[in-house]
């Protein structure tokens, strides 16, 4: 019963190694023998989740970097190349982009846990500060990563965020120019962001090592906030904590998989599927959900410099938490007043997040101001006063004593509430008062949705006979028409379709570029050479349709976006395109077209658009007996465009089903293993 | 260590909370003996911690319980291994040629009419340079009148051209040594000469001297007509 558990290598080779580089001993003492308080609840498993997420982001990021091109002319298309052509590219990219959200979700839970149980208090101040540094690094890294796809949101996020520095007096402007490497956000900016986005995760990994080191010096805090003081207060990290962390990690991965495979764009913005355009700002720009509370604080202040300073202060103040909270009692379990204020603070953060997603106008601004003031008051007023006046409950004499008293229930409900609260904030709102597109019954909706081959073929016919004269389909290749999960043309049919198109050939002996018939490998040629030609011809630039269904959408509003999380409704884009195609009407009385050659549409933001009503009953002849009503044509072409926007959707949902089933079974096994491992501990106080 | 054993006195007496850190960290050098009584005997996997003097020995678990527990552990471990292996599949296959690269590697057709006798042209197929050599009568004769058995990589010229088209020599222009592109019409055989390490090929593209081990490889191709070939 005595003697510290040390690593005793049995094998001669390991002994030899241990005498020279005791790495096995270090791993053993850190992750095997390391004593961990026996009363840790599931909120303590997020450290493991975070370590996994960091590794996952680095691995998928390194892989994506093999296919991505950091150049303003190619970045957007190279991301689409990953989505469409690279083997499992869609999976890797969705894991990476949703992984960022999961990473932040886990980090925020981890931090709130630390706040609730007072994990930042003596002797864990440095541990906590390292955590705040990690958050800051994550924020910077996540922002730079968001810029890389070079969509509209990327570009304008880069512009807005770098412009924060212009608030600094005197040196502000030079700093911004320095950050850009130019006079506006451009290619140099993209290149350096790419470089730094690749570098920073390794810096994060380095700080994580310090974070874990500090943790192992001070030891883990625990839900009771009393230090372990007898043998029965702790259990060995392996197997007890390992199996528990492992079980919860798999549960967390099931949530992650839900997003990756079924709602991969739920947390993103449709606008980021529009290539960056320095001359047009999107109607309503919002950052990713995990920045929304800070964004709300920025906008709450009517002064430019003040807003920037407060935004910075909102993060920096966290580092001072160990000294602002004067109470010597750690856990909120024994601090009834603090417990109340903790939840109030939590709700304030959620409220700030929600306000950050709303337009900065009217009542939202005032609400954001109140919430901002409360955010800072929590740290600067409430915590210091509480430490003075609060009467804590009696602490248990030991962890063991506490465990034997409690049932050990876990607040899973709180987790679910928090999840929906934090995640649900992402939907952007559209400012214009337009009608909500009616929901259609798409065959490709839901977890088992598949495209209807006949419908895709009909829709392709509509595209070719109607849309094609003005709208390109530049990301789609003719070979895609014959690929599984698509309209189901044979290779020969697709080649015959390709041959009807002309694309520029290689320069001949004389250096002349002539046209040749397209082949399977070619992509659909554009209907016009450049935007100016399009403007001269059509009085507008008709958007490319390759991604139109993913690049459009509408705000679902509360509470629908919460339900969507469970029903997997994500066909806003398809509903919108169909509604637009069929939504032409005479303008209401008194509403005048702003310019000649524009047409009134119920669903178009701003109502007047340059596209004349494209579809009418019988405009196309169908050979499969389907009645070619205008509505049917719109449905068919929308389904075709939905496929064109996401050609691997069927493969994604199929794999998703397998992955989720696997994770559930695995979680079940881990749960029983965990129960078995912990049985003896729980039985014997 | 005495104060650690003294009973805890209530909420406001917070001094004992600041106890000795529960463990020496990985880098801490605290002697094991000092903290020994705090954290003795960390249990091995699957073994209950034997605190409070109770000694639950693994041996006391019945054999049936043992098997069931072992099965659970093995099943869980196997499941984890399968998951990890499956996760490797996308990470590995993403490095294989992507769909656009494969599609771009489709067969190409080459018109032979502009190629003069004695001229060698270079075309690209799947990113590889291909030589198309319109051989002269003399070159063909030289290529055919060789003691095949004496060659490092014995192969008759007839096996390296299409029947009835022996004036057309189509080769993958990649040296079989380490991948450089040989220069046409050079070297003692009026064939190909690789400048990198001096491999010499004859007019049939067979290795004659130098470090390259094999003859120049032939791409898959066929004559669509007398003056047109399809490579690939
Ligand atoms: S590569 Fe041609 S001789 Fe070495």
């Amino acid at each position: 019963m005595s003697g510290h558990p040390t690593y005793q290598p049995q094998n001669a080779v390991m002994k030899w190694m241990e005498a020279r580089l005791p790495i096995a001993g270090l791993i053993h003492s850190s992750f095997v023998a390391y004593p961990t308080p026996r009363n840790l609840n599931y909120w303590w498993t997020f450290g493991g989740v975070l370590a996994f997420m960091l590794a996952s982001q680095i691995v998928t990021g390194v892989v994506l970097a093999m296919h991505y091109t950091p150049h303003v002319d190619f970045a957007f298309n190279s991301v689409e190349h990953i989505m469409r052509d690279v083997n499992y590219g869609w999976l890797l990219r969705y894991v990476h982009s949703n992984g960022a959200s999961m990473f932040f979700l886990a980090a925020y839970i981890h931090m709130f846990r630390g706040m609730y149980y007072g994990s930042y208090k003596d002797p864990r101040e440095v541990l906590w500060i390292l955590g705040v540094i990690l958050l800051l690094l994550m924020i910077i890294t996540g922002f730079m990563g968001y810029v890389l796809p070079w969509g509209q949101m990327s570009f304008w996020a880069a512009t807005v965020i770098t412009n924060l520095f212009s608030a600094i007096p005197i040196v502000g402007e030079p700093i911004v120019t320095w950050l850009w490497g130019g006079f506006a956000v451009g290619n140099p900016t993209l290149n350096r962001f790419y470089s730094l986005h690749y570098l920073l995760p390794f810096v994060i990994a380095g700080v994580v090592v310090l974070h874990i080191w500090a943790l192992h010096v001070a030891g883990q805090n625990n839900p009771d906030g009393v230090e372990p003081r007898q043998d029965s207060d702790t259990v060995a990290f392996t197997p007890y904590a390992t199996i528990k962390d492992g079980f919860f990690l798999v549960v967390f991965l099931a949530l992650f998989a839900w997003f990756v495979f079924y709602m991969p764009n739920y947390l993103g913005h449709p606008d980021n599927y529009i290539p960056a355009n320095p001359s047009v700002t999107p109607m309503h720009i919002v950052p990713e959900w995990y920045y929304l509370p800070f964004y709300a604080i920025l906008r709450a202040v009517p002064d430019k410099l003040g807003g920037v300073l407060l935004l910075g202060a909102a993060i920096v103040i966290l580092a001072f938490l160990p000294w602002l909270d004067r109470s010597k009692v750690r856990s909120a379990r024994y601090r009834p007043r603090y417990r109340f204020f903790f939840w109030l603070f939590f709700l304030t953060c959620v409220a700030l997040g929600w306000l950050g997603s709303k337009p900065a106008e009217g009542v939202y601004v005032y609400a954001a101001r109140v919430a901002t003031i409360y955010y800072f008051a929590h740290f600067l007023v409430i915590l210091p006063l509480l430490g003075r006046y609060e009467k804590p409950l009696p602490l248990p004499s030991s962890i063991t004593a506490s465990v034997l008293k409690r049932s050990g229930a876990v607040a899973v409900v709180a987790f679910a509430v928090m999840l929906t609260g934090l995640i649900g904030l992402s939907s952007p709102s559209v400012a214009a008062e337009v009608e909500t597109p009616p929901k259609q019954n798409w065959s490709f909706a839901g977890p088992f949705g598949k495209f209807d081959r006949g419908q895709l073929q009909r829709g392709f016919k509509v595209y070719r006979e109607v849309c094609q004269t003005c709208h390109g389909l530049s990301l789609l290749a003719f070979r895609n028409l014959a690929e599984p999960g698509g309209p189901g043309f044979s290779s020969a049919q697709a080649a015959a379709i390709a041959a009807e198109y002309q694309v520029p050939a290689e320069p001949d002996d004389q250096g002349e570029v002539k046209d040749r018939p397209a082949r399977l490998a070619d992509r659909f040629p554009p209907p016009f050479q450049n935007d100016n030609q399009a403007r001269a011809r059509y009085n507008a630039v008709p958007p490319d349709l390759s991604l139109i269904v993913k690049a459009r959408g509408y705000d679902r509003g509360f509470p629908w976006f919460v339900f969507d999380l469970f029903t997997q409704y994500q066909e806003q884009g398809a509903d919108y395109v169909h509604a637009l195609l069929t939504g032409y009407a005479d303008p209401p009385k008194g509403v005048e077209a702003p310019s000649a050659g524009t047409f009134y549409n119920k669903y178009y933001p701003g109502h007047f658009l340059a596209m004349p009503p494209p579809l009418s009953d019988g405009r196309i002849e169908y050979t499969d007996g389907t009645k070619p009503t205008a509505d049917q044509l719109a449905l068919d072409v929308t389904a075709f465009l939905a496929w064109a926007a996401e050609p691997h959707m069927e493969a994604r949902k199929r794999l998703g089903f397998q992955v989720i089933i696997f994770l559930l079974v695995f979680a079940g096994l881990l749960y029983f293993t965990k129960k078995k491992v912990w049985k003896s501990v729980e039985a014997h106080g | 260590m005495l104060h650690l054993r003294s009973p805890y006195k209530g909420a406001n007496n917070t001094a004992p909370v600041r106890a000795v850190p529960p463990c020496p960290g990985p880098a801490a050098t605290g002697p094991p003996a000092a903290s020994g009584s705090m954290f003795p005997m960390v249990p091995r996997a699957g073994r209950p911690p034997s605190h409070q003097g109770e000694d639950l020995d693994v041996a006391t678990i019945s054999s049936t319980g043992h098997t069931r527990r072992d099965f659970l552990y093995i099943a869980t471990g196997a499941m984890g291994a399968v998951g990890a292996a499956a996760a490797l599949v996308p990470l590995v296959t993403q490095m294989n040629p992507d769909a656009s690269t494969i599609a771009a590697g489709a067969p190409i057709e080459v018109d032979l009419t502009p190629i003069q006798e004695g001229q060698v042209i270079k075309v690209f197929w799947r990113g590889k340079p291909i030589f198309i050599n319109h051989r002269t009568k003399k070159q063909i004769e030289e290529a055919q009148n060789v003691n095949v058995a004496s060659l490092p990589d014995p192969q008759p010229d007839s096996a390296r051209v299409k029947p009835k088209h022996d004036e057309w020599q189509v080769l993958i222009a990649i040296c079989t040594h380490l991948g450089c592109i040989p220069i046409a019409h050079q070297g003692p055989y009026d064939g190909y000469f690789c400048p990198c390490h001096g491999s010499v090929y004859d007019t049939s593209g067979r290795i004659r001297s130098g470090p390259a081990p094999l003859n120049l490889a032939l791409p898959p191709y066929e004559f669509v007509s007398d003056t047109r070939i399809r490579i690939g």
Side-chain angles (χ1 to χ4, degrees):
Chain A
M1 285 287 302
S2 66
H4 190 70
T6 46
Y7 174 65
Q8 241 97 50
Q10 303 300 316
N11 169 307
V13 179
M14 294 309 287
K15 271 185 190 150
W16 183 90
M17 188 68 188
E18 196 65 6
R20 285 153 185 82
L21 182 70
I23 192 159
L26 178 70
I27 290 172
H28 185 269
S29 68
S30 308
F31 301 110
V32 180
Y34 178 66
T36 170
R38 59 180 289 186
N39 59 337
L40 298 186
N41 56 32
Y42 277 103
W43 299 111
W44 259 265
T45 59
F46 282 90
V49 169
L50 283 165
F52 179 89
M53 288 313 304
L54 175 63
S56 163
Q57 289 303 87
I58 289 181
V59 169
T60 51
V62 166
V63 163
L64 290 172
M66 296 180 188
H67 305 283
Y68 170 77
T69 313
H71 186 286
V72 289
D73 292 343
F74 307 110
F76 186 88
N77 281 2
S78 74
V79 171
E80 277 306 313
H81 162 69
I82 292 170
M83 294 294 293
R84 287 156 192 269
D85 298 334
V86 174
N87 303 312
Y88 290 104
W90 57 267
L91 173 61
L92 295 161
R93 188 204 165 213
Y94 278 152
V95 166
H96 195 73
S97 61
N98 286 285
S101 280
M102 294 296 125
F103 200 171
F104 272 98
L105 174 68
Y108 285 147
I109 294 175
H110 194 62
M111 293 180 72
F112 278 120
R113 189 271 289 153
M115 291 185 179
Y116 187 84
Y117 293 111
S119 299
Y120 45 83
K121 291 186 189 180
D122 178 29
R124 299 185 181 86
E125 301 93 327
V126 172
L127 174 61
W128 172 261
I129 291 173
L130 286 167
V132 176
I133 293 172
L134 284 171
L135 175 69
L136 194 63
L137 287 169
M138 277 173 66
I139 288 175
I140 298 170
T141 311
F143 155 67
M144 288 178 171
Y146 193 57
V147 173
L148 301 185
W150 211 241
Q152 272 290 67
M153 279 296 181
S154 301
F155 183 88
W156 293 101
T159 304
V160 169
I161 301 298
T162 49
N163 264 318
L164 289 181
F165 292 89
S166 71
I168 305 170
I170 306 165
V171 289
E173 290 295 335
I175 287 181
V176 173
T177 311
W178 175 76
L179 284 173
W180 289 339
F183 304 109
V185 171
N187 200 49
T189 325
L190 177 60
N191 256 299
R192 62 193 58 185
F193 277 20
Y194 176 58
S195 167
L196 294 173
H197 182 71
Y198 204 115
L199 168 72
L200 286 178
F202 297 97
V203 177
I204 292 180
V207 181
V208 165
V209 170
L210 298 182
H211 191 69
I212 294 175
W213 186 8
L215 171 73
H216 284 206
V217 170
Q220 281 165 294
N221 184 31
N222 62 77
D224 288 307
V226 295
E227 295 291 348
R229 51 172 60 86
Q230 53 192 0
D231 310 337
S232 64
D233 286 347
T234 59
V235 290
F237 190 86
T238 300
Y240 299 100
T242 322
I243 192 75
K244 197 168 172 177
D245 285 0
F247 162 65
F248 188 78
L249 175 64
V250 173
V251 173
F252 187 84
L253 288 182
L255 171 78
F256 188 8
W258 183 265
F259 280 104
V260 167
F261 292 105
Y262 292 129
M263 320 209 63
N265 296 304
Y266 179 82
L267 295 164
H269 301 295
D271 279 310
N272 225 24
Y273 281 107
I274 304 171
N277 181 350
S279 65
V280 182
T281 305
M283 292 277 270
H284 183 55
I285 60 169
V286 268
E288 293 286 84
W289 69 267
Y290 36 87
Y291 300 138
L292 288 174
F294 302 112
Y295 191 61
I297 291 176
L298 170 76
R299 297 189 311 180
V301 186
D303 176 67
K304 181 171 173 180
L305 180 59
V308 174
L309 287 179
L310 230 53
L311 165 67
I315 299 167
V316 172
I317 201 167
L318 293 168
F320 294 94
L321 185 54
W323 296 276
L324 292 168
D325 182 354
R326 310 291 297 249
S327 171
K328 291 272 188 282
V329 176
R330 294 198 185 103
S331 172
R333 271 190 189 169
Y334 305 102
R335 299 183 61 192
R337 293 273 152 267
Y338 173 70
R339 194 157 59 216
F340 169 78
F341 285 108
F342 168 85
W343 286 112
L344 201 56
F345 173 74
F346 173 75
L347 289 179
T348 307
C349 293
V350 173
L352 278 170
W354 179 68
L355 291 165
S357 75
K358 292 282 150 199
E361 53 196 34
V363 63
Y364 297 129
V365 177
Y366 291 104
R369 284 184 191 158
V370 172
T372 303
I373 291 168
Y374 186 78
Y375 180 92
F376 286 99
H378 175 80
F379 292 105
L380 298 173
V381 181
I382 293 170
L383 288 183
L385 289 182
L386 270 184
R388 253 204 144 111
Y389 298 110
E390 184 183 39
K391 272 234 178 313
L393 303 178
L395 290 176
S397 60
S398 72
I399 291 175
T400 310
S402 160
V403 171
L404 294 181
K405 241 173 55 204
R406 297 183 157 265
S407 62
V410 188
V412 181
V413 185
F415 177 66
V417 169
M418 191 159 165
L419 198 71
T420 41
L422 282 173
I423 284 173
L425 299 168
S426 61
S427 332
S429 44
V430 177
E433 17 38 87
V434 287
E435 275 186 53
T436 303
K439 258 172 106 164
Q440 304 298 324
N441 255 333
W442 301 109
S443 69
F444 50 87
F448 303 105
K450 278 189 165 57
F451 291 111
D452 170 349
R453 314 272 162 244
Q455 183 171 44
L456 293 193
Q457 295 199 4
R458 292 196 303 271
F460 180 49
K461 194 166 188 232
V462 179
Y463 169 74
R464 287 225 284 171
E465 294 182 23
V466 181
C467 320
Q468 184 174 254
T469 36
C470 307
H471 294 280
L473 204 56
S474 62
L475 295 171
L476 207 68
F478 293 102
R479 66 188 150 84
N480 295 141
L481 295 171
E483 281 166 9
F489 288 110
S490 70
S491 244
Q493 283 171 318
I497 292 167
E500 295 171 25
Y501 291 78
Q502 293 289 313
V503 296
E506 294 278 289
D508 63 12
D509 298 345
Q510 307 304 313
E512 310 252 334
V513 177
K514 299 213 182 78
D515 278 352
R516 62 163 171 81
R519 307 186 188 116
L520 282 176
D522 293 313
R523 297 186 193 266
F524 279 77
F528 44 84
Q529 294 310 311
N530 51 56
D531 287 1
N532 286 351
Q533 196 188 53
R535 237 172 255 126
R537 219 187 271 170
Y538 315 109
N539 191 23
V541 185
D544 189 272
L545 297 185
S546 318
L547 282 168
I548 201 79
V549 170
K550 278 160 89 176
R552 296 289 183 273
Y554 62 93
D555 189 16
R556 291 278 287 160
F558 186 81
W560 298 108
F561 67 76
V562 181
F563 299 152
D564 292 348
L565 199 53
F566 302 98
T567 61
Q568 297 187 358
Y569 173 67
Q570 50 182 337
E571 283 74 37
Q572 290 97 319
D575 284 344
Y576 172 81
V577 171
H578 167 264
L580 184 85
L581 289 173
T582 52
Y584 287 89
D586 291 328
K589 279 252 158 23
V591 177
E592 285 286 314
S595 60
T598 56
F599 303 85
Y600 184 84
N601 191 301
K602 282 186 277 184
Y603 303 101
Y604 187 71
H607 290 307
F608 287 93
L609 78 168
M611 174 167 77
L615 303 174
S616 53
D617 288 344
R619 167 120 195 223
I620 307 276
E621 267 183 37
Y622 280 152
T623 48
D624 65 354
T626 310
K627 258 189 107 188
T629 59
D631 190 63
Q632 186 63 40
L633 299 182
L635 285 173
D636 292 347
V637 77
T638 305
F640 170 72
L641 293 173
W643 166 75
E646 183 95 5
H648 296 299
M649 188 212 72
E650 287 188 14
R652 189 186 81 213
K653 289 183 175 176
R654 198 182 325 118
L655 186 59
F657 183 69
Q658 293 162 357
V659 168
I660 296 227
I661 293 293
F662 171 84
L663 288 174
L664 292 182
V665 173
F666 191 28
L669 278 173
L670 279 166
Y671 177 74
F672 289 113
T673 307
K674 187 237 146 198
K675 268 190 98 160
K676 211 131 217 175
V677 168
W678 277 81
K679 204 167 161 191
S680 52
V681 180
E682 270 149 16
H684 305 274
Chain B
M1 304 292 284
L2 241 178
H3 70 278
L4 289 175
R5 305 229 177 264
S6 68
Y8 196 66
K9 292 252 172 55
N12 292 327
N13 179 1
T14 47
V17 175
R18 175 88 172 87
V20 174
C23 79
T29 47
S35 53
S37 58
M38 278 182 70
F39 299 110
M41 197 60 190
V42 169
R44 262 170 262 119
R47 186 177 168 175
S50 36
H51 37 66
Q52 298 196 346
E54 254 175 287
D55 203 8
L56 284 171
D57 206 320
V58 177
T60 61
I61 295 168
S62 73
S63 61
T64 45
H66 214 123
T67 338
R68 212 183 309 134
R69 189 191 64 183
D70 287 351
F71 173 74
L72 182 60
Y73 290 171
I74 290 167
T76 310
M79 202 73 173
V82 168
L88 279 180
V89 172
L91 294 175
V92 172
T93 52
Q94 55 87 18
M95 289 199 16
N96 274 326
D98 63 56
S100 62
T101 306
I102 292 170
I108 55 165
E109 288 197 7
V110 182
D111 180 13
L112 302 177
T113 36
I115 308 171
Q116 310 291 318
E117 206 176 276
Q119 195 190 359
V120 178
I121 68 153
K122 204 192 287 175
V123 297
F124 273 87
W125 172 69
R126 291 198 166 171
K128 290 185 169 100
I130 309 274
F131 280 151
I132 303 177
N133 186 352
H134 190 172
R135 300 192 291 186
T136 60
K137 282 262 145 24
K138 180 162 161 284
Q139 285 176 321
I140 299 169
E141 266 161 35
E142 278 173 14
Q144 287 169 343
N145 301 333
V146 167
N147 178 7
V148 173
S150 71
L151 298 174
D153 180 12
Q155 213 180 11
D157 186 61
S158 56
R160 299 180 55 81
V161 292
K162 298 286 175 201
K164 297 207 274 313
H165 292 290
D166 56 10
E167 73 274 32
W168 294 106
Q169 171 78 58
V170 183
L171 298 166
I172 295 180
I174 293 178
C175 180
T176 56
H177 180 221
L178 293 171
C180 293
I181 300 181
I183 302 167
H185 293 308
Q186 277 209 9
Y189 302 91
D190 191 25
Y192 310 89
F193 171 74
C194 180
C196 286
H197 316 97
S199 289
V200 177
Y201 300 90
D202 64 16
T203 52
S204 189
R206 290 171 299 201
I207 181 66
R208 301 300 279 267
S209 66
L214 296 173
N215 301 336
L216 290 176
L218 308 176
Y221 74 98
E222 62 192 6
F223 279 84
V224 239
S225 72
D226 272 355
T227 59
R228 231 179 145 71
I229 56 170
R230 185 196 289 121
I231 303 175

